[in-house]
Amino acid sequence: MSQVTRRALGWGALYLSMALLPMGIALLRAPGEGRGLWVEFGAMLGLLALGVMALQAVVSGRHRWFAESLGFDNLLQFHRRMGNAALVLVLLHPLVLLTARPEWLGYLDPREEAARALTLWGLLAGTLLLVVSSLWRGRLGLSYERWRLLHGLLAFGVVAGGLGHALMVGHYTAGALTGLALMAAIGLALVALLESRLLRPWRLRRRPWRVVEVAPVRGDATTLALEPVGEHRLDFVPGQFIWITLGETPFRLQQHPFSLVSSAERPRLALTAKRLGDFTETLPEVPVGTRAFVEGPYGAFLPDVDNPSGAVLIAGGIGITPMMSMLRTFADRGERLPLWLVYANPRWEEATFREELEALAGRLSLTVIHVVDEPPAGWQGESGKLDRDLLALRLPPDDGRRDYFICGPGPLMDAAEGALIELGVAPTRIYSDRFDMV
């Protein structure tokens, strides 16, 4: 069993234990009356929903003590899927209970006990809105900044409200010890949420940066260069990303993730983004001298420079950015590990950094393979979509040790991952960095 598999199984077991913790705490106190199998099953669904919702705040909080070893892309996908699972649990909880005890429908009637009924309706509506606004933010027309505020408030409200509901019902939580234990377990998740949204920005105030260069680059993209204000610096590994806030204070809703494109051997940070709407549309107009706050670095999209088999880098469009940080760093360090870069673009004129890539190929043991979907007249390179046949033709046979890094639009990444697996590459050696995080 590989180290990656053991780590994944370990974290999976820990997650399952923490999700079941509210149920375990509640079962420490055996209730006096039996209410029937389906009623107890419905109650356990509610406690499981509370555990999963509480862990959502931890999983999404960019906490290095566990996130770095798993990869933020993996955590993001897991967070989304568990959000859907939590919604199902929240809906099943009252459905099972009311099916077993139809007379409990009165609990949802605000005319009988308004506070209790409104709390229950609020929890159902809040969980539904939390998941729906996350899955269909674009379709709902929510800007990232407004969604981020809504998401944080709803997450805190749903978890705190769920805890209050469990304590008020009192069937499993009537004892002081049980209630305190449940409050402590769920309270830790709420503290983790507050730490990521309030305490972390407070600490960033002491480490400001400023924009020193704003430059257009090929492919309708913009590069921002940052230098520290003061003696601090950010040490990172090529392939990692940061969250950046522009303005005089880190307490802004406008916080966005960007892969670093700069060399890890230099103190100046640089990021490059394509104009794709919302925040990225404003990057060309950012004034030089603008204050910025940087949180990070994050990410486990990290090549092993000691691997004699080297690495294959597969990029699509602006997904070239983390690869540029790797290549620039390797060039500055004089690394000679074998590298293959497969770079796909719709059109040749959109290939960002193509001139620099040519220069880097002369400084590194690097083979650059451009793939253009709509090639210009006289094109001599690869054309069409990236698929298994193209990779089999242009890449060396897999030797069981080489690592593969993929970054780009979702369809390209899905195609590249499937093609590599068809060619016999183990999934544990494929590292994907999806940049649709927000």
Side-chain angles (χ1 to χ4, degrees):
M1 184 183 298
S2 69
Q3 182 179 359
V4 173
T5 303
R6 289 196 299 271
R7 184 188 303 134
L9 290 174
W11 282 116
L14 178 61
Y15 178 90
L16 183 60
S17 300
M18 296 302 294
L20 294 173
L21 186 59
M23 290 175 54
I25 292 173
L27 291 172
L28 290 175
R29 177 184 179 274
E33 60 172 306
R35 300 183 297 178
L37 174 63
W38 286 107
V39 171
E40 303 302 344
F41 178 66
M44 291 300 108
L45 286 176
L47 289 166
L48 179 58
L50 179 60
V52 172
M53 288 298 297
L55 282 176
Q56 287 292 87
V58 178
V59 170
S60 64
R62 306 193 294 267
H63 301 289
R64 285 196 180 87
W65 51 274
F66 77 99
E68 288 293 350
S69 62
L70 297 175
F72 281 86
D73 176 61
N74 295 329
L75 281 178
L76 176 65
Q77 304 307 319
F78 181 76
H79 178 69
R80 288 173 173 168
R81 285 167 173 74
M82 293 312 298
N84 296 336
L87 175 61
V88 172
L89 291 171
V90 169
L91 295 176
L92 282 176
H93 168 57
L95 182 62
V96 172
L97 290 177
L98 295 177
T99 300
R101 294 283 183 90
E103 65 271 19
W104 285 355
L105 276 169
Y107 292 158
L108 298 175
D109 188 348
R111 295 172 298 178
E112 294 190 11
E113 190 173 331
R116 178 181 62 194
L118 291 176
T119 298
L120 295 176
W121 281 114
L123 286 173
L124 288 172
T127 306
L128 184 62
L129 182 58
L130 185 65
V131 175
V132 168
S133 64
S134 299
L135 292 177
W136 295 293
R137 177 176 72 85
R139 296 181 186 178
L140 294 172
L142 277 174
S143 68
Y144 168 69
E145 290 78 11
R146 291 181 179 177
W147 170 82
R148 186 167 180 260
L149 175 62
L150 178 67
H151 195 75
L153 292 176
L154 285 174
F156 188 89
V158 167
V159 175
L163 174 61
H165 171 62
L167 294 174
M168 283 189 292
V169 170
H171 185 73
Y172 282 101
T173 59
L177 181 60
T178 303
L180 288 173
L182 186 61
M183 285 190 289
I186 304 303
L188 288 176
L190 294 176
V191 168
L193 178 61
L194 292 175
E195 190 278 333
S196 65
R197 299 302 176 92
L198 296 177
L199 298 181
R200 205 174 295 171
W202 178 265
R203 293 193 295 268
L204 290 179
R205 294 178 312 115
R206 301 191 297 268
R207 300 172 63 86
W209 295 71
R210 67 184 180 92
V211 176
V212 294
E213 184 181 357
V214 180
V217 294
R218 185 185 298 278
D220 195 24
T222 304
T223 293
L224 262 62
L226 309 173
E227 289 184 352
V229 178
E231 299 301 321
H232 64 89
R233 63 171 291 163
L234 185 77
D235 294 319
F236 66 94
V237 178
Q240 290 188 305
F241 67 94
I242 59 172
W243 290 76
I244 183 172
T245 303
L246 297 177
E248 293 301 316
T249 173
F251 288 98
R252 301 189 66 190
L253 297 177
Q254 171 253 79
Q255 188 187 43
H256 296 264
F258 291 100
S259 294
L260 291 163
V261 298
S262 46
S263 168
E265 295 298 303
R266 305 186 185 189
R268 176 181 286 194
L269 302 182
L271 57 93
T272 298
K274 186 179 179 68
R275 289 169 33 128
L276 297 172
D278 287 349
F279 180 68
T280 54
E281 290 286 342
T282 68
L283 291 184
E285 285 75 46
V286 172
V288 172
T290 298
R291 184 161 289 228
F293 296 90
V294 172
E295 181 187 331
Y298 293 113
F301 195 65
L302 315 174
D304 180 7
V305 295
D306 295 323
N307 185 346
S309 296
V312 170
L313 316 176
I314 302 176
I318 202 62
I320 190 65
T321 51
M323 298 8 179
M324 289 303 299
S325 180
M326 297 177 189
L327 298 176
R328 287 169 169 171
T329 302
F330 294 161
D332 284 347
R333 293 176 179 170
E335 301 283 358
R336 299 303 298 175
L337 72 160
L339 298 166
W340 294 263
L341 171 64
V342 182
Y343 187 20
N345 282 282
R347 288 167 291 278
W348 177 235
E349 59 269 19
E350 296 182 29
T352 308
F353 302 119
R354 74 186 195 199
E355 293 86 0
E356 184 177 356
L357 287 172
E358 183 178 350
L360 286 168
R363 300 174 60 191
L364 297 165
S365 180
L366 170 65
T367 301
V368 180
I369 305 158
H370 287 286
V371 184
V372 180
D373 193 26
E374 301 174 16
W379 175 252
Q380 299 297 314
E382 300 295 336
S383 60
K385 301 295 184 183
L386 189 150
D387 57 19
R388 177 191 181 279
D389 292 339
L390 187 149
L391 296 182
L393 176 67
R394 297 304 305 269
L395 295 179
D398 181 63
D399 63 356
R401 295 180 299 173
R402 189 174 298 115
D403 292 325
Y404 297 78
F405 297 86
I406 311 171
C407 185
L412 177 139
M413 297 187 66
D414 294 339
E417 290 169 354
L420 290 173
I421 291 173
E422 286 183 27
L423 291 172
V425 178
T428 54
R429 289 187 287 110
I430 301 174
Y431 302 88
S432 299
D433 186 19
R434 298 178 185 267
F435 53 72
D436 59 342
M437 298 182 63
V438 298

